Amino acid sequence: MKNQILALIVLQFFIFSDLATGQEMAQKSPDNETTVLFQDETPLSVVLRYSDKEMRRDTDDSTYLKTQLAYQNSSGQWDSLEIRLRARGNWRRKNCFLTPVKMRIQKSEMKGTEFEGNKELKLVLPCRNSDQGHDYVLKEYMAYKLFEVISPYHFKTRRLQIAY
């Protein structure tokens, strides 16, 4: 089982920010509707270190685990932030191989980074530990991207390449 997890070191995931409201969109210029994190379509490379077992057991709506998020910035250099993670979702939390994750970043940590303006982010992870599970994540990502085109009220999404 551990070998299977280690074999999945680099997987495709995506993150999305809070729902954009009409008021927020009216305050933003058409050229800058999104934060820097969501302006780029290329997958963002990140490294996360946490125990999924500990996350399921020790987090709830108000309890977070502290960890480091290493990421490859726009210039190709690796940088890191201190973040807090918690498990989210009810059905996926009980039934999926990997727990869905909510990430919180303090303003002082995100200042001057690609994450600036994104206090909370949700990571959507594959439910099944299989190629089909990864396909479902990509299909869900495409559905969110399609909805961005047809509605002014949508989640901002970006794919991640995560190493655990």
Side-chain angles (χ1 to χ4, degrees):
M1 183 78 156
K2 272 189 174 180
N3 291 338
Q4 290 175 341
I5 294 171
L6 294 176
L8 296 173
I9 288 185
V10 180
L11 303 172
Q12 296 293 326
F13 303 106
F14 66 94
I15 57 177
F16 55 92
S17 69
D18 293 332
L19 189 63
T21 64
Q23 184 180 9
E24 288 173 342
M25 293 182 78
Q27 293 173 351
K28 296 178 183 177
S29 67
D31 296 337
N32 192 17
E33 278 189 14
T34 61
T35 61
V36 173
L37 180 63
F38 295 102
Q39 288 176 355
D40 192 353
E41 291 288 324
T42 60
L44 179 66
S45 295
V46 300
V47 177
L48 276 174
R49 289 185 179 95
Y50 70 93
S51 164
D52 191 65
K53 188 177 190 178
E54 184 181 349
M55 172 128 18
R56 285 179 198 264
R57 185 185 64 224
D58 297 340
T59 66
D60 57 30
D61 289 346
S62 61
T63 308
Y64 287 80
L65 300 176
K66 288 184 180 180
T67 189
Q68 291 285 319
L69 168 76
Y71 67 96
Q72 198 167 18
N73 61 27
S74 56
S75 63
Q77 301 297 317
W78 283 92
D79 203 353
S80 66
L81 299 169
E82 184 176 301
I83 62 168
R84 295 179 309 168
L85 300 174
R86 74 167 175 88
R88 66 177 192 85
N90 292 320
W91 189 89
R92 286 185 184 187
R93 189 176 186 169
K94 292 176 187 171
N95 297 295
C96 292
F97 179 74
L98 293 172
T99 307
V101 176
K102 186 170 197 174
M103 177 173 34
R104 292 192 95 183
I105 310 169
Q106 291 183 341
K107 282 185 181 181
S108 59
E109 285 289 323
M110 72 173 90
K111 190 173 184 177
T113 70
E114 282 87 353
F115 294 90
E116 192 165 5
N118 296 286
K119 183 179 177 179
E120 290 186 345
L121 297 166
K122 297 176 183 177
L123 278 66
V124 176
L125 307 171
C127 189
R128 296 185 182 142
N129 187 14
S130 66
D131 289 340
Q132 186 180 18
H134 300 266
D135 290 346
Y136 287 144
V137 170
L138 290 175
K139 287 177 183 179
E140 188 174 349
Y141 171 75
M142 290 187 295
Y144 280 112
K145 294 310 273 183
L146 178 63
F147 200 70
E148 282 182 27
V149 174
I150 62 173
S151 174
Y153 304 101
H154 57 272
F155 291 110
K156 300 293 184 189
T157 58
R158 182 169 181 186
R159 287 177 39 214
L160 292 180
Q161 195 169 24
I162 297 180
Y164 286 100

